[in-house]
Amino acid sequence: MANVANQAESVAWGTPLSGQGQRLLLLGSGELGREVALEAMRLGIEVIAVDAYANAPAMQVAHRSHVLSMLDGRALKQVIEQERPSLIVPEVEALATETLLELEADGWTVIPTALATRLTMDREGIRRLAAEKLGLPTSPYRFAANEMEYRDAIATIGLPCVVKPVMSSSGKGQSLVKTDADIDSAWTYAFEAGRGKDQRVIIEGFVKFDTEITLLTVRSHPQVPDAQPTTHFCPPIGHRQQDGDYRESWQPCALNPKTLTKCQEIAKAITDALGGVGLFGVELFIAGDPNQAQIVYFSEVSPRPHDTGMVTMVSQNMSEFELHVRAITGLPIGDIEQIRPGASAVILANDTSNSPVFTGVAAALTVPTSKLRLFGKPRAHKNRRMGVALALGDTVEEARQRARDCAERVQVH
Ligand code: AMP
């Protein structure tokens, strides 16, 4: 099996579907996976998309697809042995990561590493690595497996605090507990929304941050034999979250140089610890007056492209997806350049639908510099992300206004 990540120069770049091509197997086929698939296909890589439901966005553009529960280790192993991918590329957290560890030990390449997928599968693994092993600043936190532990944790952390299932994303199951009256409902919501068998909950002290950013960080192999991976950073991306889910993002997010250096040091520490190659989305909270020394808190990391990073599809010379594909296939990264200030704004569904219809697309695209990505998700439900509007501007404020204007004109029915 070719390990393309380590042997870029020696890899024969075969034709897709010939039996000789590089095969990239995506575990998770949402909107981010679709862009990874498209970038890989531009480089002549054969793409196999996997997800738990049919016609997922990346499946609609991939060479082949499989529908299976990615938490089912046996099913995962079977599809990998059948497809024999050169690269196994996770696009979601909820995977049978024990199986990925076994597959990696058998010689398969997991991006960035099977251990990274294991540690980032839930909030506990990554939080313990960041705070307890690496000593990075984070919000205070406790974990709870039952209601008694939960109440103890809240008593220790204090109010306000943020309660989240250890396995969840997009704000599912997340609550801000401001007063005693919120404690019961936050527990029920987190416990019921948690994915996976062992439902645990994290209780985090509320960080009064002034800015929240994603620092896209790329680890790639230099083009010299046996060299250690090098780290590249994209300009910081600012974002606004609502109900634990991202609504808009912009790049660059202005930071003072000392704060940016701190952010990069934290991003390097956590991505070095996870290892492997690829693009990572490092989420950081920044607190304090920008004219003085600010505190940077590590919040989370995705060992893959990040939703807030969709802005890079317009704002950079290479999107986060192109950077990820280059890094994981052992290709050079080159210079990451910001073209102009850019922004993204999400398009959410208002309701449940089994055949969503978009209107207002033409009106949306009359907004100067705007672009749309409609994800083609076969089903909609309230607040599901169905598309994203992208725009550029002379300033971040102008780009944000344009992206919001564009997104608001699109309706999902
Ligand atoms: P997460 O899923 O952990 O990325 O949380 C989603 C969003 O909720 C974050 O981007 C923040 O805006 C907010 N959030 C999460 N944890 C905290 C915290 N401990 N303090 C303040 N805000 C938080």
Side-chain angles (χ1 to χ4, degrees), residues 123 162 164 174 204-207 209 212 241 244 283 300:
R123 298 177 190 276
V162 183
K164 317 169 194 175
Q174 177 169 328
E204 287 185 35
F206 181 78
V207 178
F209 57 79
E212 129 166 81
Q241 305 263 333
E283 293 178 44
E300 281 199 319

Side-chain angles (χ1 to χ4, degrees), residues 17 23 46-50 58-59 61-66 83:
L17 306 176
R23 278 191 295 279
E46 191 170 315
V47 177
I48 303 119
V50 176
M59 291 180 182
V61 300
H63 290 97
R64 284 187 301 290
S65 62
H66 298 271
E83 291 289 359

Side-chain angles (χ1 to χ4, degrees), residues 1 80 88 97-117 274 276:
M1 185 192 339
I80 284 161
I88 300 168
T97 52
E98 293 300 332
T99 305
L100 292 181
L101 286 164
E102 286 166 24
L103 288 163
E104 188 180 74
D106 289 344
W108 303 97
T109 301
V110 179
I111 298 299
T113 63
L115 184 62
T117 66
L274 292 173

Side-chain angles (χ1 to χ4, degrees), residues 26 55 90 108 112 121 265 267 294 309 311 330 353 360 383 390 403:
L26 271 176
N55 298 330
W108 303 97
M121 179 182 180
E265 283 167 2
Q294 293 180 294
V311 63
S353 164
N383 286 343
L390 306 166

